[in-house]
Amino acid sequence: MKRDSSLVTKAAITAVGSYVPEEVLTNHDLEQMVDTNDEWIRSLTGISERRIAKTPEHSTAFMAIKAAQDLCQKNNINPASIDVVLVATITPDYQVSSTAPYVATEIGATHAFAFDISAACSGFLYGMSTAASFINSNQYKRVLLIGADKMSSIVDYTDRTTCIIFGDGAGAVLFEPSTNDYGFENAIHGNDGVGRDYLNIHDGGSLHPINEHSFSAGKHYVRQEGRTVFKYAVKHMSETSNQLIAKNKLSPEKIDYVIAHQANKRIIDATTHHLAVAKEKVLTNIHKYGNTTAATLPLLLADFESSFKKGDKLLFTAFGGGFTWGAAYLTWNYDYKN
Ligand code: COA
């Protein structure tokens, strides 16, 4: 039986928060560490600098807590009123122990249940669908979704093909039942398991547990076949976004902003070229943060929150390890108040 969509409670983003470490790692700093140069990095990735959490205690959970506290403080949200805390991450503080429960406890979300979402660079996007489903169910009123990754903890700073790309950071959004019919409209997600051969940390999982050779071979670091990842990312983000545009009877002119995963400026440009969306609608901050994995989408929302108007049509898209990908359509819920 078809569900009457008018009976479903729409989930709206009602608050945004963020945190990035103070320490800046520039392209010129990387020139001192590996055989690379500022010109190559900027022209092939669009990145000039990234933030790195150098203090060991400044873990993924630390950044997630800071982003959540920023959201709560700016918007006068009592953490005890939050029902669910979701943390999208591939760099949890510990294996086995989920990061989200610790974040919930530390921020004072004493009535929430909490768990992690692991979908690499698509983690926040998948989290949006998860958060919206909790609100749609009418069982939960406040879902806090955080995207946080300390990529510097899994990057090999002698490997010039990965260390130039990644950075650390966290962003948070609050989903609540919409009171004005703006909010999360729908999404399309996809995946292809072939991707695990092209982007992974080889050792440390159940297939290849850490052994005495893992560290000397650097198999505890993230590795990728950049060109393959690049091609898959452009193909799937553009195809899925176009499917979502058609599904919602949108057109490039009707979209106000594209919020795309910040992996590489050339991936963003090639993807949005296929969508025929005007360049000024495509938001970017990759030049200053690099690829922060699950944090790129909420960091864009935090950076551009003051530009959004109630009713603006936002198209999200992301691609990540697995491979995982998707696109989501959301109408913005509020005008910015300083
Ligand atoms: N500095 C200078 N030269 C570099 C370099 C660096 N940091 N990294 C690689 N090179 C060299 C290569 O050795 C190669 O040299 P060669 O032609 O003499 O063999 C040349 O530059 C081109 O390398 P290639 O890897 O083919 O470049 P590319 O155009 O694919 O760009 C990436 C490399 C990594 C920037 C690009 O593939 C990419 O962004 N991929 C997606 C990565 C990503 O987003 N992953 C996260 C998951 S979403």
Side-chain angles (χ1 to χ4, degrees):
M1 206 175 73
K2 210 170 166 205
R3 203 169 172 195
D4 181 353
S5 60
S6 63
L7 299 176
V8 174
T9 305
K10 200 179 276 184
I13 291 180
T14 56
V16 177
S18 67
Y19 172 82
V20 289
E22 279 173 19
E23 300 92 341
V24 176
L25 181 70
T26 67
N27 292 349
H28 297 292
D29 295 329
L30 285 164
E31 286 174 358
Q32 313 304 314
M33 298 158 68
V34 289
D35 180 15
T36 191
N37 59 79
D38 174 55
E39 162 62 19
W40 192 96
I41 302 173
R42 274 192 294 109
S43 57
L44 272 93
T45 70
I47 302 167
S48 297
E49 58 186 45
R50 63 289 291 141
R51 300 300 181 95
I52 303 294
K54 287 199 174 141
T55 308
E57 301 79 50
H58 290 186
S59 63
T60 293
F62 174 90
M63 296 190 292
I65 290 163
K66 289 279 188 194
Q69 288 171 338
D70 179 50
L71 180 153
C72 290
Q73 277 155 19
K74 283 195 310 211
N75 297 280
N76 215 7
I77 302 288
N78 177 1
S81 69
I82 296 170
D83 300 305
V84 187
V85 176
L86 305 173
V87 176
T89 188
I90 52 161
T91 52
D93 276 23
Y94 289 107
Q95 298 300 325
V96 182
S97 228
S98 205
T99 298
Y102 179 73
V103 173
T105 298
E106 289 298 302
I107 65 171
T110 43
H111 297 103
F113 75 94
F115 63 95
D116 290 358
I117 293 177
S118 176
C121 296
S122 307
F124 186 83
L125 190 83
Y126 284 27
M128 287 174 67
S129 289
T130 311
S133 301
F134 279 129
I135 301 288
N136 295 161
S137 75
N138 284 324
Q139 291 190 65
Y140 306 99
K141 297 264 182 250
R142 285 189 158 170
V143 182
L144 180 68
L145 170 63
I146 304 168
D149 270 303
K150 182 170 178 170
M151 293 305 291
S152 63
S153 66
I154 57 168
V155 163
D156 177 358
Y157 283 96
T158 66
D159 173 8
R160 68 176 183 171
T161 67
T162 51
C163 73
I164 56 152
I165 295 172
F166 294 105
D168 302 337
V173 300
L174 188 69
F175 278 93
E176 294 183 275
S178 175
T179 53
N180 55 17
D181 210 35
Y182 294 128
F184 186 88
E185 305 291 342
N186 47 55
I188 301 175
H189 300 296
N191 55 70
D192 187 342
V194 71
R196 76 180 194 165
D197 292 334
Y198 300 112
L199 176 54
N200 63 36
I201 296 178
H202 193 269
D203 286 9
S206 62
L207 184 59
H208 302 287
I210 292 270
N211 62 40
E212 64 275 24
H213 306 299
S214 301
F215 299 106
S216 54
K219 290 190 167 187
H220 57 305
Y221 290 126
V222 67
R223 305 283 178 202
Q224 65 172 344
E225 201 175 293
R227 278 201 179 182
T228 307
V229 176
F230 191 111
K231 283 183 199 154
Y232 269 88
V234 173
K235 174 179 161 57
H236 290 296
M237 285 200 290
S238 57
E239 282 182 5
T240 312
S241 297
N242 274 325
Q243 285 165 12
L244 195 68
I245 288 170
K247 179 177 172 172
N248 287 284
K249 299 186 173 56
L250 290 167
S251 61
E253 306 78 53
K254 284 187 187 161
I255 294 167
D256 293 294
Y257 295 103
V258 176
I259 319 276
H261 173 51
Q262 306 285 291
N264 180 321
K265 179 70 165 54
R266 289 187 299 139
I267 294 178
I268 301 165
D269 290 346
T271 300
T272 50
H273 173 76
H274 288 298
L275 309 185
V277 174
K279 277 198 174 88
E280 58 274 15
K281 295 181 175 181
V282 180
L283 306 183
T284 58
N285 56 13
I286 189 169
H287 56 285
K288 56 179 181 170
Y289 299 142
N291 181 351
T292 54
T293 302
T296 69
L297 300 184
L299 283 176
L300 280 171
L301 292 178
D303 278 3
F304 291 93
E305 184 188 12
S306 60
S307 311
F308 303 148
K309 305 261 178 310
K310 197 189 284 184
D312 277 352
K313 296 176 170 55
L314 272 53
L315 177 76
F316 294 76
T317 187
F319 181 90
F323 292 130
T324 56
W325 65 81
Y329 171 41
L330 179 138
T331 44
W332 194 250
N333 184 58
Y334 59 94
D335 292 326
Y336 183 70
K337 282 191 210 76
N338 210 342

